[in-house]
Amino acid sequence: MTGSGIAWASSGLWLAVIASGLFHGVNPGMGWPLAVSAGLMKNNPRALVAALWPLTVGHLLATLLMILPFSLLITLVYWQRQIQIGASLLVIGFGIFRFINRRHPRALARIRPTQLGLWSFAVAIAHGAGLMLVPIYLGLCRTAGFGRGHEAAAGLIGTTGLGMAFLVSVVHAVAMIAAGGLLAWLVYCYLGLKFVSRSWFNLDATWAVSLILVGAVSLAFLP
């Protein structure tokens, strides 16, 4: 792949990181209605903004939990292709599972709204938010030249792969909370709670299909 081709591929993957964050943020299942609830209960928009911080931290930790093991596995240069195929199939499989079983896990309902960080972390894990980023992260590692032979292993064992993992997770989490926070603010100030209760505003099926598509696209573009 030429230098310009690598640059375009890398830009596309970063756009995928941001787009998935925006998609997760808009999904009410990731918690922005809880921020609206916090603002309404205290009748103060500052409470809404304050609730966004633990939601961000929880989602960030969930994505890191999924990506960090792969940032260590990427050091196994000789197995990089197999790792990427396995990650893509894992995302596809989880997407099929989410499509069949779209119900919100009941156990998460027992977590009190005051524990927003824990709730955000748990729900992101349950819905595969971090898992969706794994094939994108592996693709970014490839376009950055992390898989150009055994001599790259020494550098990968250091902070390079880990740094990319943190960067992907942070960019994704910022996009997620930007979209979710904006939607929460609009509902709190202008749209009202009826917007949340509308039956068409349900992204569970779309979420499951998007997981399958991310995995399938990753397989299609394997070198």
Side-chain angles (χ1 to χ4, degrees):
M1 185 181 292
T2 64
S4 59
I6 291 174
W8 277 107
S10 181
S11 298
L13 289 166
W14 278 116
L15 286 175
V17 171
I18 296 171
S20 63
L22 296 174
F23 173 58
H24 292 172
V26 169
N27 193 334
M30 291 297 102
W32 64 258
L34 293 178
V36 177
S37 176
L40 291 174
M41 284 191 297
K42 295 188 177 181
N43 195 25
N44 190 335
R46 290 184 179 180
L48 183 152
V49 176
L52 297 178
W53 288 105
L55 289 174
T56 305
V57 172
H59 196 89
L60 175 61
L61 292 177
T63 57
L64 280 172
L65 182 65
M66 289 292 104
I67 292 178
L68 284 179
F70 287 91
S71 73
L72 299 176
L73 286 173
I74 201 69
T75 61
L76 303 175
V77 176
Y78 290 126
W79 295 93
Q80 186 176 12
R81 182 179 174 83
Q82 289 83 348
I83 291 170
Q84 195 159 359
I85 292 173
S88 300
L89 293 175
L90 181 63
V91 173
I92 292 172
F94 192 79
I96 294 172
F97 169 76
R98 290 300 309 166
F99 190 80
I100 296 172
N101 183 19
R102 304 182 201 174
R103 292 180 299 176
H104 194 67
R106 293 183 178 180
L108 297 180
R110 302 191 187 115
I111 300 176
R112 292 175 294 178
T114 53
Q115 298 172 314
L116 287 180
L118 174 61
W119 186 92
S120 177
F121 173 81
V123 77
I125 292 293
H127 285 267
L131 194 61
M132 185 185 291
L133 287 175
V134 170
I136 302 172
Y137 161 74
L138 292 176
L140 281 167
C141 287
R142 190 176 68 248
T143 60
F146 288 4
R148 292 178 178 170
H150 184 65
E151 67 275 7
L156 293 173
I157 294 172
T159 60
T160 309
L162 292 174
M164 180 67 78
F166 276 101
L167 185 58
V168 167
S169 296
V170 169
V171 170
H172 174 83
V174 169
M176 183 279 296
I177 207 61
L182 176 61
L183 199 50
W185 183 265
L186 290 174
V187 169
Y188 179 83
C189 294
Y190 305 107
L191 301 176
L193 293 178
K194 288 184 178 180
F195 181 82
V196 182
S197 63
R198 289 177 181 173
S199 58
W200 59 265
F201 197 70
N202 189 326
L203 298 179
D204 285 346
T206 307
W207 184 290
V209 172
S210 65
L211 282 165
I212 297 171
L213 286 176
V214 167
V217 169
S218 298
L219 285 176
F221 284 95
L222 278 173

